[in-house]
Amino acid sequence: MSETLLSSRNLAFELYEVLDAEGLTQRERFAEHNRETFDAAISTARSIAEKYFAPHNRKNDENEPRYENGQAILIPEVKPAVDAFLEAGFLNAARSFEAGGMQLPTLLSQACFAHFQSANAASTSYPFLTMGAANLIESFGTEEQKQRFLQPMIDGRFFGTMALTEPHAGSSLSDIRTRAEPAADGSYRLKGNKIFISGGDHSLSENIVHMVLAKLPDAPAGVKGISLFIVPKFLVNEDGSLGARNDVLLAGLFHKMGWRGTTSTALNFGDNGNCVGYLVGKPHQGLSCMFQMMNEARIGVGMGAVMLGYAGYLYSLDYARERPQGRLPDSKDPSTTPVAIIQHADIKRMLLTQKAYVEGAFDLGLYAARLFDDTTTLATDTERKQAHELLDLLTPIVKSWPSEFCLKANELAIQILGGHGYTREYPVEQYYRDNRLNPIHEGTHGIQSLDLLGRKLAQNGGAGLKQLIRLIAETGARAQKYPSLTALREPLEQLVNRLQSVTIGLLTDLAQGKVNSSLANSALYLKVFGHTVIGWRWLEQAIRAEEGLAKDDAADAAFYKGKLQAARYFLTWEVPSCHHELAILEARDDTCLGMQDGWF
Amino acid sequence: MSETLLSSRNLAFELYEVLDAEGLTQRERFAEHNRETFDAAISTARSIAEKYFAPHNRKNDENEPRYENGQAILIPEVKPAVDAFLEAGFLNAARSFEAGGMQLPTLLSQACFAHFQSANAASTSYPFLTMGAANLIESFGTEEQKQRFLQPMIDGRFFGTMALTEPHAGSSLSDIRTRAEPAADGSYRLKGNKIFISGGDHSLSENIVHMVLAKLPDAPAGVKGISLFIVPKFLVNEDGSLGARNDVLLAGLFHKMGWRGTTSTALNFGDNGNCVGYLVGKPHQGLSCMFQMMNEARIGVGMGAVMLGYAGYLYSLDYARERPQGRLPDSKDPSTTPVAIIQHADIKRMLLTQKAYVEGAFDLGLYAARLFDDTTTLATDTERKQAHELLDLLTPIVKSWPSEFCLKANELAIQILGGHGYTREYPVEQYYRDNRLNPIHEGTHGIQSLDLLGRKLAQNGGAGLKQLIRLIAETGARAQKYPSLTALREPLEQLVNRLQSVTIGLLTDLAQGKVNSSLANSALYLKVFGHTVIGWRWLEQAIRAEEGLAKDDAADAAFYKGKLQAARYFLTWEVPSCHHELAILEARDDTCLGMQDGWF
């Protein structure tokens, strides 16, 4: 049977041939693990994803949560799926043994999670959001908060959300209006409205722990005056039992284009003046707490986009192999048998493009997850700091590149299925609709581009960028061993050289205060930077494929040849396209910036 | 109030400043018309579209047709809308006075129709399909067929469909299996199954006239053995009254990603051995009949894609003007008032891109409609033939370019609205879903690219291509009058020169029988050719804008400046990107063609 969630062979290639997952077991934290425990976790994830998550993916779409008597009602299939996920321990896969986790590397935890993201993006969101909220409390909460709120989340009894966005402010968090007034008992009373809160209501868990951004009475204006609060749906007594319903009202549900199984809620905090919250971390430091957790969340979002692309790619590949239609251009004799459409050049193009996008982004997501492991388990402070700097730099790409190009992959999957792809009788159109959320949430595409160009590049004196350039050069040097890779390596080198020069120019302009003009075309910069990173990862994959081919294992030769062809596609069909955007960036072209409201 | 369907100012610009609609009134057929009658028709179209079509666009989406007792049930709002359309005469807008029409130029008929396409793609499909079917009978039917089937269609009593696609064959019409056996009375008995038949059942009209492709018993294999038949839902007696139900069964409905208000049906012909059909045109000439009508139909499909893009552009423009959020990068002081998001550079980019795509494609669609008028009303055979050759060449672009780039515009409209754009509480996500059909139906993108490169270019000794090159050069020559247009003109000239050289190379290869390799990258060729054509049309619009600016009418200056900025965007941000694809085409790169099934 064809695989539907991801290619196991490709995952093994990533883990054991590209990213050296086994090397991680040399580190103290992962010393109990080995390839067998890794593979067992992956195998369990695949089984549960196939058995409990995939079967109701379409049903989630067709039966979005209903608003009834102030509550969100989900289809009954979600809870058993989430329960199976919890029971198998995936919520705490990366958490330490003593905290009740599997103490797996994030690389492995993400590899396991990818199966669920591919099977059912919507149902997977509930544990995903819970992990994010739990990590926030784990990093910044007091011991009491951990005992009262984190432990029940680890135990799977409480779920979590992230409540940032407000109706009037959107991405502009500096303008949020939710207020938090100190109460006599050391807690706070919150008042405000939040929208687009995913997982904001459901009955999958005993309680829901909202992580809410709000402003204290003495808060400075802007982002430096934002604080972080725990606001539970039900209050929690000192003994851990549930208390009264908190003053958090489900004001309504949003009805989305896709990803319909995840409730998107409007929440009112403190309509009755009695919404209890608890400050997490220091006053006015809420956004920086959020940002410190953002890397992991954004890897997760990026991988979510990858996996929707992956699911569509595999489905359309299978379809193209099974569907006979038409003949090749040089053999139009209508009495001959039609060929499978995978034989048509344009179908090959659409499949190879998907493969290059999906497997390139998959590699990057897992690379970032491994880098996250480096930030916590490398031997020295310096090494961990370096890993952090590189991960910080890559995070906008890890989040945004799959959101754009694996969405494009979904569009191609629809096209391969033709009229069938456009119907809801086949799954590919849902993958597109689900994936369309990813360039919007967790920082829109535009926000990511400003984060990269306006913040991340220059951070720590450009330390992350210097590392990246060095790593790309190292990969290039290793590629020189293979003459067959020259044609793949050279376009990347040309791109990196020019990108460096453009980057220096833009950073110089920024330093000189030419802020608006330097940032105006940041979306183009994001594309070029992303293609550079993915191009690098494809060159790395190509080297590993050459190494694999050299082993002369006939059974694997086709796999490695496919890798080389996809690398060739990306490095010769995609990478050189970036010179167009670089020319615009070099010229500081103001065509878009100069457009006036009244001229539209 | 902002306009929601299209910009009236832009339509007037196209008709009266770019395409010289008034010049058409010098021709005998249109002598009764003048700018006032044109504008009256447009004004009526806008009123009816706003009053009857737009209000139920979302309801169409939310309540797709249901299958009940062998029938398709639509929401009740469709019929009054279609009736108002019929009553105002738009079904026959281009038909002659004596045939009951308005005898408008196709340019005007298309301009009127665009309002309906923007307001409600799904409800508009029913009259659109009827027009196509009626035109087929008008061109190829016998007098008796015209009396029995065409006249009731003109009268709005019968609707029509096009029934081409079969389950096993998809785009490969040469493999259709529907058979037509001659009966003693000169009619035929059909047997076969068709899928994706839009408008295949409904109760908007007394009868439905299916135009069905099928094979006669003595048919040669392949496309040269396809014949065209009229197959009515109800038989029609000699006196024009309805007879018995024909043996055409509604087997089921498809459930689509978008465009949901239009039934997409599976039809079974002759399940009971008694499906009566009437041959239209000569035996085995069915496909060539279809193709002769294709130009008009494909202009319509292309314009449909444009108008969905247009509706999304106008909505997101309005939203961007009204929505305050964030501050410009150089003024981050959080105590200042947030700006409307139209002030942000990246929002300007997304709006200007939409404007360039939508207004460029709108111009091309109307240009093609005017060319269609030239094919019927120019003075000499030679001139009409020339117009036909150019229109034939442009048709794949008119159909496919908007299907790709106005769909991209819809994606940008969603992005501008952010989280709101992703909800069904706003219209933009539906525009995307509706528009996603356009690269699939009426010849997929891949089919269009093969039609262009493999057929249209070399037709009539390349006469159409030579005309196009000459027309682009003429526009370039006129642009030289405006030094400000030099930067816009030069990228187009560079592109055209290189495209010509690539084209000659590919046609030479084709002539030498290197068919598979020449056509392998036809999708890239289609993009480059399309960008060349749209670039030309934008240069033409830029010249007209300069002429308009020279009139020094302050009220219009902003409009013309916007045109110039959009032209600048397209010619300097989009056109040069094509050199990347041209390099791949020049190299006859076989990266995709060389990919093997087993390597995926």
Side-chain angles (χ1 to χ4, degrees), chain A residues 266-316:
Chain A
L267 296 179
N268 292 356
F269 296 92
D271 270 3
N272 303 307
N274 198 24
C275 175
V276 178
Y278 310 95
L279 180 69
V280 178
K282 294 183 184 157
H284 318 318
Q285 302 284 314
L287 205 60
S288 101
C289 295
M290 275 284 179
F291 272 125
Q292 286 182 58
M293 300 313 306
M294 213 64 106
N295 285 341
E296 213 173 348
R298 286 184 174 167
I299 295 173
V301 170
M303 280 298 285
V306 174
M307 298 319 298
L308 285 164
Y310 217 140
Y313 163 56
L314 292 178
Y315 196 93
S316 65

Side-chain angles (χ1 to χ4, degrees), chain B residues 42-229:
Chain B
I42 287 168
S43 167
T44 305
R46 187 175 56 230
S47 305
I48 297 177
E50 285 176 350
K51 183 168 175 192
Y52 292 100
F53 283 75
H56 72 282
N57 189 44
R58 175 59 77 178
K59 190 170 176 188
N60 254 345
D61 185 67
E62 287 173 344
N63 300 274
E64 64 190 336
R66 299 188 320 278
Y67 179 90
E68 269 180 23
N69 303 320
Q71 290 193 309
I73 312 296
L74 278 55
I75 60 168
E77 286 82 354
V78 182
K79 188 163 168 51
V82 171
D83 285 348
F85 177 94
L86 295 173
E87 200 159 317
F90 288 113
L91 189 78
N92 307 301
R95 203 159 258 116
S96 67
F97 292 127
E98 65 207 23
M102 294 194 218
Q103 207 160 313
L104 277 169
T106 297
L107 171 60
L108 265 293
S109 143
Q110 188 59 68
C112 291
F113 199 67
H115 295 79
F116 301 98
Q117 293 179 303
S118 181
N120 193 322
S123 289
T124 303
S125 293
Y126 297 101
F128 177 71
L129 292 159
T130 303
M131 289 185 215
N135 289 345
L136 264 178
I137 301 175
E138 187 165 35
S139 299
F140 303 105
T142 63
E143 282 314 308
E144 196 205 332
Q145 288 170 347
K146 287 181 191 174
Q147 198 193 326
R148 208 182 282 194
F149 298 105
L150 174 61
Q151 193 56 48
M153 292 169 90
I154 291 176
D155 297 342
R157 294 171 40 226
F158 293 6
F159 279 16
T161 79
M162 307 286 208
L164 286 70
T165 306
E166 301 189 7
H168 66 289
S171 301
S172 182
L173 292 174
S174 75
D175 293 307
I176 63 167
R177 291 179 191 151
T178 298
R179 318 297 300 184
E181 302 274 347
D185 63 356
S187 68
Y188 293 80
R189 294 298 170 272
L190 277 80
K191 188 163 180 53
N193 306 313
K194 300 280 181 180
I195 57 169
F196 301 144
I197 308 310
S198 295
D201 196 58
H202 55 73
S203 47
L204 300 172
S205 56
E206 298 171 25
N207 201 357
I208 301 176
V209 178
H210 304 291
M211 305 303 296
V212 182
L213 293 184
K215 292 191 168 182
L216 295 167
D218 61 344
V223 291
K224 289 174 183 163
I226 298 174
S227 303
L228 177 64
F229 297 86

Side-chain angles (χ1 to χ4, degrees), chain A residues 64 175 255-257 321 327 411 422 424-425 432-433 565 568 573 580 590-591 597, chain B residues 64 175 255-257 321 327 411 422 424-425 432-433 436 565 568 573 580 590-591 597:
Chain A
E64 64 189 337
D175 293 307
H255 302 92
K256 303 194 294 297
M257 179 187 199
R321 283 173 167 154
R327 291 156 195 88
E411 207 167 79
Y422 191 66
R424 309 201 302 283
E425 279 79 19
Y432 178 89
R433 286 187 292 106
Q565 200 79 355
R568 180 175 152 195
W573 278 52
H580 171 65
D590 69 349
T591 302
D597 179 348
Chain B
E64 64 190 336
D175 293 307
H255 302 92
K256 304 195 292 295
M257 179 187 199
R321 283 173 166 154
R327 290 155 196 86
E411 209 167 78
Y422 191 65
R424 308 202 302 283
E425 278 78 21
Y432 179 88
R433 288 187 291 105
R436 186 63 189 82
Q565 200 78 357
R568 180 174 152 196
W573 279 51
H580 171 65
D590 68 349
T591 301
D597 180 349

